[in-house]
Amino acid sequence: MTETASTSEQPWPVRVVSQKISQWIGRLGWIWVDGQVAQITRRPGTNTVFLTLRDPSADLSLTVTTNRDVVDLGAPGLNDGARIIVHARPEFYAARGTLSLRADEIRQVGLGELLARLEQLKKLLAAEGLFARERKRRLPFLPRRIGLITGRASAAERDVLTNARRRWPTVDFRVINVAVQGPSAVPQIIDALAVLDRDETVDVIVLARGGGSTEDLLPFSDEALCRAVFACRTPIVSAVGHETDVPLVDYVADVRASTPTDAAKRIVPDLGEELRLIGQAKQRLDRSLRGLLDREQHRLDALRSRPSIARPLTMVDVRAADVAALRDRATRNLAHRLDRAGTEIEHTLARLRTLSPSATLQRGYAIVQREGGAVVRAAGEVSAKERLRIRLAEGSLAATVEG
């Protein structure tokens, strides 16, 4: 058992919805539409021509119905891939639920008008900073993997792969083949950019295409493609056309290569040149190292030739001789002083002996002392019966004063 959603409004029949859509679209009136012819269908026996008009920047298309005379008058010789402007009125075909355009005038866009539009778009993108030099990134010296967006089996693909591998044989590529002109070119290139930009192993992306007319290179001046290149995190190299061809994507890319061959020279180094530079650097390093060793050897030789290094004991010998001389002088001075002091002591000792009371006693004199030890110098200093001590040269006597 299933439940059905209830609604408070009465549902509309399909025919009513189709009629209302047709009425609303009909009120849009006549408009000018710019696009690229993806397909032209001329039915035999009828004047009606069906065109599939494709947006140059998106995977969108509309059917345009017009009269053969309108095509022959406004765009004679119209072919697939041409850029046109149609004056048309939107129509909704209710029976099939499809939208188409009914055109009463068709103009093929000329080269002058295309260039004017490109110049206006160039000024717009430059004003928004998409061409700013300071935001451009440097390419890696040796990328691990290179993303290449180019036409299938094209000369541009061959030039990039051949020249890059000739310069660095082990270079790794991830190639995505896309349409490089026509209405499907821009969507395919944008999708390929998104795929390679998400690939963490891809270090640089190359957009490559050979030369061609201005109309052929129009996809690489598309606004959507320029903005997609600007939004990429991976550095972009633009190698579109010849050196004189400058599509707008060249201004947005991080590096502009004049040709696909030039792109190969920019994305990988030349192995032979790098080996030559390494050899030169090795030679310079060897010369520098030998020069440094020679200078240091000269310095060592100069240091070793100095007397203090060549004959290190010379200074010690000189100082030892000085010390020995000083010691001799000190010994002589000390001996002289000792001799002189000894002589002075002997003279002093002789004088002391001469002046000593003991010497006087040796000559027969005596020293009279009272009991307290005081020397008696006069007879009046003692009294009768006082005991005295008489000191002789040898020994002493006790005496009593009689009178």
Side-chain angles (χ1 to χ4, degrees):
M1 180 177 181
T2 59
E3 295 182 359
T4 58
S6 61
T7 177
S8 59
E9 297 181 359
Q10 184 67 26
W12 288 3
V14 173
R15 66 178 183 278
V16 176
V17 174
S18 298
Q19 291 172 358
K20 289 185 176 294
I21 293 175
S22 178
Q23 293 172 3
W24 183 83
I25 292 176
R27 289 198 295 270
L28 293 178
W30 293 88
I31 55 175
W32 287 99
V33 181
D34 178 14
Q36 195 169 20
V37 177
Q39 183 179 3
I40 304 176
T41 304
R42 293 181 174 91
R43 294 182 178 179
T46 177
N47 288 331
T48 303
V49 177
F50 297 94
L51 305 176
T52 300
L53 195 63
R54 191 180 188 88
D55 189 293
S57 304
D59 192 12
L60 298 173
S61 61
L62 281 175
T63 301
V64 181
T65 305
T66 186
N67 190 276
R68 185 186 298 269
D69 295 335
V70 174
V71 176
D72 294 340
L73 180 63
L78 185 64
N79 295 316
D80 293 348
R83 190 77 173 264
I84 62 173
I85 300 175
V86 299
H87 187 251
R89 180 188 181 99
E91 292 183 346
F92 183 73
Y93 188 56
R96 288 200 300 262
T98 58
L99 176 67
S100 64
L101 300 176
R102 167 69 65 175
D104 64 352
E105 184 177 354
I106 296 178
R107 299 178 186 175
Q108 190 164 359
V109 178
L111 180 59
E113 186 175 355
L114 281 176
L115 294 177
R117 291 187 181 185
L118 291 181
E119 186 63 28
Q120 184 178 4
L121 178 59
K122 179 181 176 182
K123 293 179 180 179
L124 173 64
L125 297 180
E128 294 183 15
L130 270 69
F131 303 162
R133 184 177 300 275
E134 59 271 12
R135 65 152 295 272
K136 296 186 182 300
R137 294 154 294 192
R138 296 184 61 181
L139 301 183
F141 172 73
L142 184 59
R144 295 171 297 173
R145 173 180 278 189
I146 300 169
L148 176 60
I149 301 174
T150 186
R152 183 180 302 278
S154 62
E157 177 181 2
R158 183 175 61 254
D159 289 346
V160 173
L161 296 179
T162 302
N163 287 282
R165 286 167 178 162
R166 182 182 295 122
R167 291 170 63 84
W168 199 274
T170 59
V171 64
D172 184 24
F173 277 93
R174 180 179 180 183
V175 181
I176 298 181
N177 296 119
V178 297
V180 292
Q181 68 183 63
S184 61
V186 173
Q188 290 186 23
I189 295 174
I190 292 177
D191 292 341
L193 275 175
V195 170
L196 293 179
D197 194 40
R198 289 194 300 267
D199 190 343
E200 297 294 336
T201 64
V202 173
D203 293 332
V204 63
I205 300 173
V206 180
L207 292 176
R209 188 204 190 282
S213 64
T214 302
E215 292 85 349
D216 293 338
L217 300 180
L218 276 179
F220 295 92
S221 292
D222 185 84
E223 180 179 0
L225 178 58
C226 290
R227 296 188 182 279
V229 170
F230 182 79
C232 283
R233 297 176 293 107
T234 309
I236 305 294
V237 176
S238 175
V240 179
H242 301 301
E243 188 170 359
T244 56
D245 299 322
V246 187
L248 295 185
V249 74
D250 280 1
Y251 297 99
V252 184
D254 297 285
V255 174
R256 177 194 179 258
S258 57
T259 61
T261 301
D262 182 45
K265 295 178 180 179
R266 290 175 177 267
I267 55 180
V268 291
D270 187 348
L271 179 60
E273 179 67 15
E274 295 303 319
L275 290 176
R276 186 183 66 82
L277 293 176
I278 291 174
Q280 291 180 351
K282 183 176 180 295
Q283 292 176 359
R284 290 196 300 270
L285 182 60
D286 289 342
R287 288 195 299 269
S288 298
L289 185 58
R290 284 196 297 268
L292 177 61
L293 291 176
D294 290 341
R295 289 194 299 272
E296 295 302 320
Q297 185 63 51
H298 291 328
R299 288 184 59 189
L300 287 175
D301 293 341
L303 291 174
R304 292 175 60 185
S305 64
R306 294 180 180 179
S308 58
I309 302 298
R311 296 180 298 278
L313 296 180
T314 300
M315 183 173 62
V316 177
D317 294 340
V318 172
R319 296 295 179 263
D322 293 341
V323 171
L326 292 174
R327 288 179 61 185
D328 291 343
R329 287 178 55 190
T331 301
R332 289 194 300 271
N333 290 335
L334 182 58
H336 178 68
R337 290 190 178 187
L338 289 176
D339 292 342
R340 189 173 60 183
T343 303
E344 292 178 354
I345 291 175
E346 289 177 356
H347 292 166
T348 302
L349 182 58
R351 290 196 300 271
L352 287 176
R353 287 175 178 172
T354 303
L355 299 176
S356 172
S358 178
T360 304
L361 293 178
Q362 290 293 337
R363 293 195 299 270
Y365 294 93
I367 299 174
V368 180
Q369 294 175 309
R370 302 175 72 178
E371 288 185 352
V375 177
V376 178
R377 293 181 175 84
E381 293 178 358
V382 298
S383 60
K385 304 300 183 178
E386 184 177 352
R387 293 181 63 84
L388 299 175
R389 179 172 175 267
I390 300 171
R391 183 178 177 184
L392 304 174
E394 294 180 4
S396 60
L397 298 173
T400 302
V401 179
E402 294 295 335

